[in-house]
Amino acid sequence: MRYYLYVSGAKLDMLYEQIPPKLLKRLAVEAKVDLKVLSVAVQSPRADVTTYDRLDIVEAYLEREFDVSWMTEPRPWFRGDLELRIAGYGSPAGPTFMTGREGDTVVALIGSAHHLLGQRTAPDTIQASYSMLPSLFRLLDDAPEDWPRHQRERRAAVPSHDQEAAHQVLEFAESLTGPPVYGEFLARRLLHGTATGQDGRQVDIVVGTPLYVAMADEDTRREA
């Protein structure tokens, strides 16, 4: 079982509704969804199955159809696990930003804070979505009060090209403090570029918007 920190209901609904009905039974089996849920899904593909059952089915569909990659070589959909610093536990109407680094790869995940577990609120009360790349740079330009001060005062322009964008993301990621949470995630790629960090090393910058983020106890890849 996963201990979820973030589940994007908006992405989940959008993707689930696009799965061809004939594929649902096969995907439910692959995702090891409960047999009662499987029966419901087969008889009425758009039935009100639980959020986590639909998430399992959507994840199986993405793995089957989109060749989900690892975060260090991100394809349109990628997964990973690493220590994440999280900003944005303030207003559920605002953004959330999660970032971590593994070797020469920095991952930045951007989404809407109301998808954080424990901050759920009625969808019709949310007036903005933060899962698109332009929103990321608007919030870096006018960051919430609980985000690093020097970034709120920076007032940077929206970047004109990927290299500048990657630099801004890295600068903000390196400014975050506080204890990280080891997590695993599945995300849609928004940007992949390079930038030079505070240590003078060039790093790959991967920006995505997550379908989910869950707590993880350890790096399971190292057990293989």
Side-chain angles (χ1 to χ4, degrees):
M1 293 190 294
R2 290 178 176 142
Y3 193 96
Y4 290 99
L5 301 173
Y6 176 103
V7 177
S8 174
K11 295 186 192 71
L12 181 58
D13 291 343
M14 174 181 65
L15 295 168
Y16 184 77
E17 291 298 324
Q18 295 180 70
I19 297 175
K22 291 183 179 180
L23 264 182
L24 277 176
K25 179 178 180 180
R26 189 180 307 169
L27 291 169
V29 171
E30 292 176 6
K32 300 179 181 179
V33 171
D34 182 86
L35 289 178
K36 291 187 292 183
V37 174
L38 172 59
S39 177
V40 170
V42 171
Q43 295 175 24
S44 179
R46 307 309 172 193
D48 188 22
V49 295
T50 72
T51 294
Y52 302 111
D53 289 325
R54 288 187 295 137
L55 182 57
D56 287 342
I57 291 172
V58 166
E59 186 171 5
Y61 178 73
L62 293 174
E63 290 280 6
R64 179 188 181 89
E65 301 294 328
F66 289 91
D67 190 20
V68 177
S69 69
W70 192 248
M71 60 187 178
T72 52
E73 297 181 356
R75 296 188 181 96
W77 284 95
F78 65 94
R79 64 171 68 255
D81 61 76
L82 75 171
E83 291 186 335
L84 294 168
R85 284 188 165 84
I86 304 174
Y89 271 104
S91 168
T96 185
F97 183 89
M98 311 180 198
T99 184
R101 177 169 178 168
E102 180 179 272
D104 290 330
T105 299
V106 172
V107 176
L109 304 175
I110 178 69
S112 300
H114 75 276
H115 293 310
L116 289 164
L117 276 294
Q119 294 217 143
R120 294 300 179 85
T121 188
D124 58 3
T125 66
I126 304 300
Q127 299 180 357
S129 172
Y130 296 93
S131 295
M132 302 298 290
L133 201 55
S135 297
L136 169 61
F137 295 103
R138 284 198 296 271
L139 72 89
L140 292 182
D141 186 43
D142 188 20
E145 288 298 318
D146 62 333
W147 292 32
R149 180 176 299 277
H150 78 276
Q151 286 290 341
R152 297 201 307 270
E153 296 170 348
R154 186 166 172 263
R155 308 301 300 174
V158 174
S160 57
H161 52 79
D162 287 355
Q163 186 174 357
E164 183 182 350
H167 176 74
Q168 287 192 27
V169 171
L170 178 59
E171 184 180 51
F172 187 81
E174 290 182 332
S175 72
L176 293 183
T177 59
V181 176
Y182 200 93
E184 59 178 318
F185 52 84
L186 174 60
R188 180 65 167 85
R189 187 190 64 203
L190 300 177
L191 173 71
H192 185 201
T194 60
T196 302
Q198 293 175 351
D199 57 6
R201 294 168 61 185
Q202 182 169 292
V203 295
D204 287 329
I205 306 299
V206 181
V207 181
T209 183
L211 176 61
Y212 71 79
V213 179
M215 291 182 66
D217 293 329
E218 56 191 48
D219 186 344
T220 55
R221 292 172 297 132
R222 295 174 182 172
E223 295 179 356

